Amino acid sequence: MSTTLQSPVPPANEPAKADAGALSEPTATGWKLTLKEFASNKLALAGIAILVFFVLFCFLGPYFYHSSQQVTNLDNIDSPPQAGNPLGSDDNGFDVLGRIMLGGQTSLEIGFLAAFIASVIGTLWGAVAGLIGGIVDAIMMRIVDVLLSVPFLLVVLIVAHQYGSNMWNLSLILGVFSWLVPARLVRGEVLTLRVRDFVSAAKVMGAGNSRLIYRHLLPNAMGTVIVNVTFQIADAILALSTLGFLSFGIKYPGTDWGSQLGNAEDSLTAGYWWLVYPVGICLVLVVMAFNLIGDGLRDAVDVRLRKR
């Protein structure tokens, strides 16, 4: 009697298992995909590295490099770089390297605080205008249009002169006059979100406007807000530098990077390059770092800009 060898027949449930295995493979979604996309952006990572360096340099540097920033040294005015003063001294006898650290602290603190104030006001204003719509939206956005037509720098100069130039006042002034762009961005985002099914379902279930904003609209618009915050910080640091350059910055003996550039023209004419180039390079690098981070976040958050 002959026997016939037959190939083993796979169980009927094997394809189903294979499909189930394929479906169960972890896939990056949401914020994980955004972080992965951001981590693949080398320019954005360079921006993070530059920012971390300057944060450590400005806030931890004074613990390792000691210099007096309260008492002037008239015997050491405008000294060039030398042993003990790697970047020389300024026209008050202050050590320039320590002065840059102190000015960097002020510039970063005001930049972050002003951006926070502007983002909070602008986000709430834009969310309310976009959700309610109608005449309320029209009135709120016309107010934004009117304020956008007011010369920003002129108003900030007047208010800063009137109410003094300390860190809190300047942060508040810059933040209060910088919320207009975030408001328009968030309003546009909310206009697209409010017609989505999950918002309609929340309305049917009885959610009020405040719940819609805080639980449904703002979390989904947070990507746009975070991207804008990085640009707001860069803009606030530049605005502070402009105020300092025009002698409306932090009052003496405090300082910021813009104030240190106040006599840049005279310093360069006199050949005191150490009073201009080091602080100028720091300012450019920090602003560039925030812009690189903002560009990277924008590309990562917006699916249309990912790895085209």
Side-chain angles (χ1 to χ4, degrees), residues 212-256:
L212 287 175
I213 289 175
Y214 289 111
R215 296 295 299 273
H216 300 285
L217 296 177
L218 289 187
N220 287 282
M222 197 51 64
T224 301
V225 175
I226 292 174
V227 171
N228 185 254
V229 164
T230 59
F231 296 118
Q232 286 287 329
I233 296 172
D235 290 343
I237 292 175
L238 285 178
L240 175 65
S241 300
T242 303
L243 291 176
F245 184 79
L246 297 174
S247 302
F248 288 91
I250 294 293
K251 288 184 177 179
Y252 181 86
T255 186
D256 59 84

Side-chain angles (χ1 to χ4, degrees), residues 38 41-53 285 288-290 292-293:
F38 182 79
N41 190 324
K42 295 180 180 178
L43 287 177
L45 294 181
I48 291 285
I50 294 172
L51 181 59
V52 169
F53 169 78
L285 287 177
M288 184 185 70
F290 280 111
L292 291 176
I293 296 171

Side-chain angles (χ1 to χ4, degrees), residues 47-282:
I48 291 285
I50 294 172
L51 181 59
V52 169
F53 169 78
F54 274 100
V55 169
L56 296 176
F57 170 74
C58 295
F59 289 93
L60 294 183
Y63 291 101
F64 300 96
Y65 182 80
H66 303 284
S67 64
S68 175
Q69 298 297 320
Q70 297 293 329
V71 181
T72 60
N73 184 0
L74 300 181
D75 296 330
N76 196 29
I77 293 176
D78 293 331
S79 297
Q82 56 186 319
N85 294 108
L87 291 179
S89 60
D90 64 8
D91 51 1
N92 289 312
F94 289 125
D95 179 79
V96 172
L97 182 57
R99 206 70 177 157
I100 291 176
M101 293 178 184
L102 182 62
Q105 291 178 21
T106 307
S107 297
L108 288 171
E109 289 170 350
I110 292 179
F112 276 101
L113 190 54
F116 174 77
I117 295 171
S119 298
V120 170
I121 299 175
T123 299
L124 293 177
W125 188 277
V128 171
L131 177 62
I132 296 178
I135 186 65
V136 175
D137 177 35
I139 293 174
M140 293 178 73
M141 297 318 295
R142 295 299 78 74
I143 293 175
V144 171
D145 292 339
V146 170
L147 293 178
L148 280 173
S149 64
V150 176
F152 165 76
L153 187 58
L154 177 62
V155 174
V156 171
L157 283 173
I158 295 173
V159 176
H161 177 70
Q162 182 70 26
Y163 294 101
S165 300
N166 56 50
M167 190 194 77
W168 296 105
N169 283 351
L170 288 176
S171 300
L172 187 62
I173 292 168
L174 292 175
V176 166
F177 288 98
S178 302
W179 61 271
L180 306 172
V181 172
R184 300 185 77 170
L185 291 175
V186 173
R187 172 184 175 268
E189 194 73 16
V190 170
L191 286 177
T192 63
L193 290 171
R194 71 176 187 178
V195 296
R196 300 283 181 86
D197 292 340
F198 68 94
V199 176
S200 301
K203 289 180 179 177
V204 171
M205 296 178 68
N209 286 337
S210 60
R211 183 175 179 82
L212 287 175
I213 289 175
Y214 289 111
R215 296 295 299 273
H216 300 285
L217 296 177
L218 289 187
N220 287 282
M222 197 51 64
T224 301
V225 175
I226 292 174
V227 171
N228 185 254
V229 164
T230 59
F231 296 118
Q232 286 287 329
I233 296 172
D235 290 343
I237 292 175
L238 285 178
L240 175 65
S241 300
T242 303
L243 291 176
F245 184 79
L246 297 174
S247 302
F248 288 91
I250 294 293
K251 288 184 177 179
Y252 181 86
T255 186
D256 59 84
W257 285 344
S259 298
Q260 294 176 48
L261 292 171
N263 297 321
E265 184 177 355
D266 294 337
S267 298
L268 288 178
T269 302
Y272 302 150
W273 58 267
W274 57 90
L275 300 179
V276 180
Y277 292 134
V279 65
I281 291 172
C282 291

Side-chain angles (χ1 to χ4, degrees), residues 287-301:
V287 173
M288 184 185 70
F290 280 111
N291 286 331
L292 291 176
I293 296 171
D295 288 340
L297 286 173
R298 181 194 58 202
D299 294 348
V301 170

